[in-house]
Amino acid sequence: MDIRIPLLALLRNRRTTDPRRPEQSSSSMRWTSAAAACALLCTALVPVSAQWLNYPTPGIPRTADGKPNLTAPAPKTPDGKPDLSGIWLRNGNYLQNLAKDGVEVPFQPWAEALYKQRMENLSKGTPGERCLPRGVPAEMTTPNPFKLVQIPGLVLLVFEQFSYFRQILTDGRGHPTDRMPTWFGYSVGKWVGDSLVADTVGFNDQTWLDYDGHPHSDALHTIERFRRLDFGHMEFQITIDDPKAYTKPWTVTIPFDLLPDTELIESICENERDVPHMVGK
């Protein structure tokens, strides 16, 4: 089995001791004792200090005992907009089921049949099994953090898992008219009050919305709203608008937590050996 994820968990203390740490996805829990032992051995050979995992983040408000004050007011950019920058991790296993909070999913008949087929087959065949991008929103709901970088004209999302990235262009441009289908789509954004609203089109139909297998077509159009509630918490809302797969748009709200005083770890999908071990049915 691929041991990258348990190795990272051993390297990063916050992955295993943080009480806010969301549960692992079912795929990441398929580790053998041999893999765990190998990961532990590899850990002994990797200098943890080289990972910047416990380096104080500049500019973070702190309590009297020096700990990050995650309930402090949300920061602002020089132009007065909320600053979303930071390393974030979803709170709750929305990778398993995007609609886990009881959201009604208004399937088209073919999409419902495909979803049930994927569930009956124990989710075998997800893009991640083959080192392919999970797409939007699944890449943001993995048990791996992402870094959000906000600069004038651009919001950049850098994902720890497999070192993927997304761009949300906020310089006033619209969507390209001549576009090829892509894994992450073409995102343009604007500020509406204290929320960044990202409008994304141009997806291919190769990704799943979650591990359970909610499908989408190449007509997928997403509207995402990022709102930083305070220094350490962000609300992320996504609307799935895909008339080929669903009879009407549906919306999910996901909480994110800031991970202070740490850094991303390089994670490359190499020597992939998951597929032969996927059980299916």
Side-chain angles (χ1 to χ4, degrees):
M1 291 296 290
D2 188 339
I3 64 169
R4 287 163 299 150
I5 295 178
L7 174 57
L8 296 186
L10 287 167
L11 281 172
R12 177 182 280 119
N13 290 334
R14 63 170 166 79
R15 292 293 188 83
T16 56
T17 60
D18 188 342
R20 298 179 296 108
R21 180 79 172 99
E23 66 277 17
Q24 295 285 345
S25 68
S26 57
S27 61
S28 67
M29 293 302 292
R30 295 191 180 106
W31 309 330
T32 65
S33 57
C38 180
L40 184 59
L41 175 62
C42 293
T43 302
L45 302 177
V46 178
V48 176
S49 61
Q51 303 295 332
W52 295 315
L53 297 185
N54 296 291
Y55 188 84
T57 303
I60 284 192
R62 298 186 183 272
T63 58
D65 59 3
K67 294 181 179 179
N69 182 3
L70 300 182
T71 60
K76 302 281 188 179
T77 60
D79 60 1
K81 292 182 174 62
D83 190 349
L84 305 176
S85 300
I87 295 179
W88 299 93
L89 181 69
R90 53 79 161 148
N91 188 335
N93 190 5
Y94 293 86
L95 175 62
Q96 185 68 44
N97 180 7
L98 184 63
K100 78 180 191 70
D101 292 335
V103 175
E104 178 187 357
V105 180
F107 290 104
Q108 294 283 9
W110 74 265
E112 184 172 19
L114 179 57
Y115 173 69
K116 290 179 178 179
Q117 176 186 333
R118 289 170 172 175
M119 288 284 286
E120 291 171 358
N121 201 31
L122 305 180
S123 299
K124 184 176 181 180
T126 62
E129 291 175 16
R130 293 162 286 144
C131 292
L132 295 174
R134 296 183 188 274
V136 179
E139 201 65 61
M140 298 176 62
T141 60
T142 71
N144 305 84
F146 65 91
K147 177 181 285 190
L148 196 153
V149 181
Q150 182 178 330
I151 60 176
L154 173 67
V155 172
L156 181 67
L157 286 77
V158 182
F159 300 101
E160 181 175 272
Q161 187 175 58
F162 308 158
S163 300
Y164 294 132
F165 73 93
R166 279 184 69 196
Q167 295 188 99
I168 302 173
L169 298 163
T170 58
D171 57 2
R173 75 181 71 186
H175 293 126
T177 55
D178 184 15
R179 53 183 181 254
M180 295 178 57
T182 63
W183 295 89
F184 289 105
Y186 302 83
S187 300
V188 296
K190 63 181 181 180
W191 288 94
V192 178
D194 60 355
S195 297
L196 172 68
V197 179
D199 188 306
T200 307
V201 297
F203 295 99
N204 63 33
D205 61 358
Q206 301 302 303
T207 65
W208 300 13
L209 298 180
D210 53 23
Y211 190 79
D212 279 355
H214 284 98
H216 70 82
S217 75
D218 58 2
L220 176 64
H221 168 215
T222 65
I223 300 291
E224 300 161 277
R225 290 174 171 81
F226 300 79
R227 185 166 72 95
R228 193 165 187 168
L229 305 176
D230 55 23
F231 200 90
H233 304 92
M234 181 167 65
E235 181 183 83
F236 171 73
Q237 184 184 86
I238 181 166
T239 297
I240 305 297
D241 180 14
D242 184 348
K244 290 184 180 180
Y246 302 99
T247 60
K248 61 182 179 180
W250 51 288
T251 299
V252 174
T253 300
I254 301 173
F256 282 85
D257 294 332
L258 182 75
L259 299 183
D261 298 342
T262 191
E263 198 38 272
L264 300 185
I265 298 176
E266 183 178 84
S267 172
I268 304 299
C269 192
E270 61 176 335
N271 196 25
E272 194 285 315
R273 297 182 182 182
D274 283 348
V275 172
H277 299 278
M278 302 308 292
V279 179
K281 185 177 179 182

